[in-house]
Amino acid sequence: MRSPSNHALRVLSAAALACAALLAQPSHAALFGDDEARKAILDLRQKVDANAQRQDSENRHAAEELAQLRRSLLELQSQIETLKSEQASLRGQNEQLARDVSELQRRQKDIAQGVDDRLRQFEPVKVSVDGREFQADPAEKKDFEAALAQFRQGAFPQAQTGFAEFIRRYPQSGYLPTALFWLGNAQYATRDYKEAVANFKSLLAVASEHPRAPEAALSIANCQTELKDSKSAKKTLEDLIKVYPQSEAAAAARERLARLK
């Protein structure tokens, strides 16, 4: 065989170099791609880390805000409960105050009613006795009626005491002439004729026009008769007929005078 020529060797060398160049090119490209990828990964990792840190910071901030909001809500809830408690207390106080006011008004009404009742006990009332009308205090009316009731029951000593006390206590009373009349009759019933005459005469002195005056004059004559003073009794009967000629007492006086003659 023949040995290759120089030209052929050169061709083969060139081809080998070309192949080597072709083989060398992918290795260089791969090396460059890894660096870029590594850098991209590092950049991405830095971004992820930064995002994670930012997210952590935001989460911590949000957690703090949430905790603050929770504390605010708890404080607000506490204030609401306090306000509810105060409102309930105020409502209770208002209800108690309303009850107190109601009780005070009731007591005031009772007191006012009591005062009115007491005042009415002292207010004069219109009375009619022996055909005469006048004003009398309730106590005055009560005392007179009590003494008169004793007389009607036949308790003459008690009636005498009652009428004497009445006259002493109410010297200006409209009951005075009638009280003198019944006092004289109570004394006549207990045979106290002289005192009876004195009280009958007092009636005639203070109220000669009183409806009981003629009877009082006749009673004086009766007392004088009991005292065996016929002369005075006759004079009293004659005066009775002159002063009260149309009275029933005058008619009785005429009959007695006829018997005395």
Side-chain angles (χ1 to χ4, degrees):
M1 290 179 65
R2 290 187 309 175
S3 59
S5 65
N6 291 332
H7 178 71
L9 290 172
R10 286 196 297 273
V11 172
L12 288 172
S13 298
L17 292 171
C19 289
L22 290 173
L23 291 173
Q25 287 179 356
S27 175
H28 178 72
L31 180 62
F32 178 78
D34 288 343
D35 292 338
E36 291 294 330
R38 188 176 297 109
K39 183 178 180 182
I41 290 170
L42 291 174
D43 290 342
L44 181 60
R45 184 176 296 167
Q46 289 176 353
K47 291 180 180 180
V48 170
D49 291 342
N51 287 336
Q53 291 177 357
R54 184 171 60 254
Q55 187 64 42
D56 289 342
S57 177
E58 291 177 355
N59 289 341
R60 286 193 300 272
H61 183 67
E64 291 176 356
E65 289 183 347
L66 182 61
Q68 180 62 34
L69 180 60
R70 186 177 291 109
R71 288 192 296 271
S72 298
L73 289 175
L74 290 174
E75 183 178 355
L76 180 60
Q77 184 64 30
S78 177
Q79 292 177 355
I80 291 173
E81 293 299 327
T82 300
L83 289 175
K84 286 182 178 179
S85 177
E86 292 177 352
Q87 186 178 17
S89 178
L90 289 174
R91 187 181 300 112
Q93 292 177 4
N94 288 337
E95 292 175 353
Q96 182 61 45
L97 181 60
R99 288 192 293 270
D100 291 344
V101 169
S102 178
E103 177 64 17
L104 182 61
Q105 290 174 340
R106 185 191 65 79
R107 291 178 60 188
Q108 184 178 14
K109 183 178 179 181
D110 291 343
I111 292 172
Q113 183 64 41
V115 170
D116 290 341
D117 292 341
R118 292 188 185 94
L119 289 176
R120 277 194 292 272
Q121 293 178 357
F122 298 100
E123 289 179 354
V125 294
K126 181 182 288 187
V127 297
S128 178
V129 179
D130 294 334
R132 289 190 169 188
E133 289 188 351
F134 53 90
Q135 297 288 324
D137 292 337
E140 178 184 354
K141 180 174 181 289
K142 180 180 178 182
D143 290 346
F144 175 84
E145 291 177 349
L148 184 60
Q150 289 176 324
F151 183 90
R152 287 173 175 170
Q153 291 169 4
F156 301 118
Q158 293 84 351
Q160 180 178 337
T161 301
F163 282 119
E165 178 63 22
F166 179 89
I167 293 169
R168 184 193 67 79
R169 184 177 299 175
Y170 308 104
Q172 304 301 322
S173 173
Y175 284 108
L176 181 61
T178 303
L180 287 168
F181 176 80
W182 290 112
L183 175 58
N185 278 279
Q187 290 167 333
Y188 181 87
T190 59
R191 300 178 184 275
D192 191 357
Y193 302 120
K194 289 184 178 180
E195 288 298 324
V197 169
N199 285 301
F200 287 133
K201 287 185 176 180
S202 293
L203 188 161
L204 296 175
V206 299
S208 61
E209 301 300 323
H210 193 274
R212 294 285 185 180
E215 293 181 62
L218 183 61
S219 295
I220 292 173
N222 292 337
C223 291
Q224 290 168 337
T225 300
E226 293 293 340
L227 292 170
K228 310 301 182 183
D229 188 358
S230 300
K231 182 178 179 180
S232 295
K234 182 179 178 182
K235 177 68 167 60
T236 300
L237 293 173
E238 290 173 346
D239 290 342
L240 168 58
I241 295 170
K242 291 178 182 178
V243 177
Y244 308 105
Q246 303 301 321
S247 66
E248 293 182 4
R254 291 187 184 96
E255 292 178 3
R256 292 189 185 181
L257 282 175
R259 289 197 299 269
L260 290 176
K261 290 180 179 180

